[in-house]
Amino acid sequence: AVRERREEGGTTWADRSNGLETLYTSLLVPAPTYAGGGPLFFAHRGLWRSGDLGRTWRDVGPERRYGIPRALGFSPTFDVDGIAFLNAGRGSFRTADGGETWTEMPDLGRGRTMSVAAVSPAFPDDGTVYMASKKDGIWRSTDGGESWAPLHERFARAQVRAFALSPAFAEDGLMLAGTPDGLFVSDDRGASWSTAHGGLPEDGGATVQAIVFSPAFAEDRVAFVSTQRHGVHRSSDGGRTWSAANAGLPRDCPRALVISPAFADDRTLFLATHDWVWATRDAGATWSRLPGRVRLDDDHPSLRYEGLWGPAAGDEVCGQGVAATASPGAAVTLSFEGETIEWWARRGPDGGLARVELDGREAATVDLRADTTTGSEPVFRRRFDAPGFHAVRVVAAAREGGAGDVIRSDGFAVEF
């Protein structure tokens, strides 16, 4: 999983994982005030908050026993009222202090896992919040989360994969909901619904995974959806009909779809897939894959270990710790596609020697001995002439005349 902060429109990346206990992600959501320095929230087995654009993180949120957070939505005046809504699988919660403390909302039940939280743009006036579930339909509160009720019988026990409110919701009452049975639209705040999948492919691969509206939707009526196996589609009539906006995209497994706040001027969207992150600068007419950087922690499933390794705790490392060995010949291997490879490790007074091999040939010997113990850092880096498939292998080596010291490996970083 990636845990980096995008800069310069996605052309450069920097690690932003200091203080996180895991690199697996269920949520990475900026508050409405993020552009002005507001908080960023990250969730997997727990909830973390960053107030410095992701450079450091602090554990907040409900107790871990409530499960993995899946849905998080903010009041549009979050900077004033600090209100947000969270579902963690075995409980749903509300905060009124920016995420420092959370109060359970019992009406939603403890066994109801929500996939989307959508807060009305007019929340300070109408108190309206929606939670959408992948098995229990859509729920609505009109009193700021104090009480909840199912929205419409059409979605009773439905698998709602995507749900979004128009930016002009206070005036047009429009919302879109995607299920395996199709895409549906309401323009009366959910009282009635009609089908809205005209132009979408007619098979299971057309299940909508994400919905975004143009920030200028009241004027341009533009919206986009990403589908399970048919890429991105665009509507110019408020979500009634759709046309493909896929040029240059892979068709498999699109996931999150994000639209630029300045879309009316820059025509920019970003799409996350299982094949990295893609961008369009022309409202979906063409797409290209962004340059990327992936941080692979020491417990990432792509790493293959040989010999005796064990977990070791430490500060200023990626995730919860490092993988350590004092056994000469123990090795860790990563096969990857990319242009640059880094090996990350800790140095210290008992640091050992490591032999780094690239594509079966010895590339360097790294000495991890230092006067003081350091945090995790890149101790080996190699840039290839062009992107391609490669394998890196790190082998613990013995010092001349004695046994090996300790190798504390903190995984790899790949750029492509």
Side-chain angles (χ1 to χ4, degrees):
V2 180
R3 195 70 60 247
E4 279 80 36
R5 175 176 175 265
R6 190 187 70 215
E7 299 177 350
E8 301 172 9
T11 57
T12 61
W13 297 77
D15 184 44
R16 290 291 184 265
S17 57
N18 185 29
L20 294 177
E21 294 181 11
T22 177
L23 294 189
Y24 294 93
T25 314
S26 60
L27 288 173
L28 183 61
V29 186
T33 54
Y34 177 73
L40 179 66
F41 290 85
F42 162 82
H44 185 58
R45 294 191 181 277
L47 182 71
W48 286 262
R49 170 183 166 138
S50 173
D52 55 9
L53 305 182
R55 292 177 176 82
T56 58
W57 297 84
R58 185 165 51 86
D59 192 353
V60 296
E63 299 174 37
R64 305 287 176 87
R65 64 187 174 90
Y66 286 104
I68 297 174
R70 298 292 187 184
L72 177 62
F74 299 93
S75 161
T77 51
F78 180 77
D79 58 329
V80 176
D81 56 34
I83 293 176
F85 300 89
L86 175 74
N87 175 267
R90 291 192 292 273
S92 296
F93 303 86
R94 180 184 188 272
T95 181
D97 57 12
E100 297 299 322
T101 59
W102 297 84
T103 302
E104 191 168 5
M105 299 183 294
D107 273 9
L108 281 173
R110 290 195 171 182
R112 188 168 285 119
T113 300
M114 300 297 180
S115 53
V116 182
V119 183
S120 165
F123 175 80
D125 298 319
D126 63 24
T128 300
V129 191
Y130 297 87
M131 287 272 195
S133 167
K134 288 188 177 179
K135 69 174 183 177
D136 292 312
I138 302 170
W139 290 65
R140 177 175 63 188
S141 171
T142 56
D143 54 12
E146 293 296 324
S147 60
W148 294 80
L151 177 61
H152 193 279
E153 61 182 9
R154 173 184 286 276
F155 301 105
R157 309 194 71 79
Q159 297 180 35
V160 181
R161 302 288 186 90
F163 179 77
L165 307 180
S166 155
F169 181 77
E171 291 76 36
D172 62 23
L174 190 144
M175 60 183 77
L176 289 170
T179 78
D181 295 323
L183 184 67
F184 301 90
V185 61
S186 170
D187 57 10
D188 54 12
R189 304 174 76 88
S192 61
W193 294 81
S194 57
T195 58
H197 36 256
L200 293 179
E202 296 181 359
D203 63 39
T207 300
V208 171
Q209 302 289 88
I211 303 166
V212 295
F213 289 94
S214 163
F217 181 77
E219 293 78 35
D220 62 26
R221 309 303 288 172
V222 170
F224 294 86
V225 296
S226 66
T227 62
Q228 191 168 5
R229 290 195 301 273
H230 295 288
V232 175
H233 286 66
R234 170 180 170 152
S235 172
S236 298
D237 59 5
R240 266 67 180 182
T241 61
W242 302 85
S243 57
N246 287 322
L249 273 181
R251 296 294 188 267
D252 59 328
C253 297
R255 300 186 70 185
L257 184 62
V258 178
I259 194 165
S260 165
F263 174 79
D265 298 318
D266 62 27
R267 318 301 284 168
T268 297
L269 294 96
F270 296 93
L271 174 70
T273 76
H274 289 302
D275 189 33
W276 191 241
V277 180
W278 298 74
T280 177
R281 315 289 182 181
D282 51 19
T286 59
W287 293 80
S288 59
R289 193 174 82 161
L290 292 178
R293 175 182 169 86
V294 179
R295 184 73 164 87
L296 305 169
D297 195 16
D298 57 275
D299 63 352
H300 194 277
S302 297
L303 274 59
R304 187 177 78 252
Y305 287 91
E306 308 165 45
L308 185 62
W309 292 82
D315 298 326
E316 299 181 44
V317 299
C318 186
Q320 294 182 304
V322 297
T325 184
S327 176
V332 57
T333 301
L334 170 69
S335 298
F336 64 95
E337 180 185 7
E339 190 171 11
T340 301
I341 182 68
E342 292 176 351
W343 174 44
W344 286 62
R346 302 188 72 190
R347 300 183 189 272
D350 61 350
L353 289 174
R355 185 176 72 253
V356 181
E357 301 171 355
L358 289 175
D359 301 327
R361 298 182 178 181
E362 185 170 345
T365 298
V366 178
D367 192 342
L368 298 179
R369 182 168 290 178
D371 293 337
T372 59
T373 299
T374 68
S376 177
E377 61 185 77
V379 296
F380 171 84
R381 177 181 171 88
R382 177 64 56 85
R383 185 178 182 87
F384 300 94
D385 294 335
F389 289 94
H390 301 279
V392 59
R393 184 169 183 258
V394 176
V395 185
R399 293 188 184 277
E400 186 176 350
D405 294 315
V406 181
I407 305 294
R408 296 179 178 87
S409 177
D410 200 17
F412 300 87
V414 178
E415 295 177 4
F416 51 89

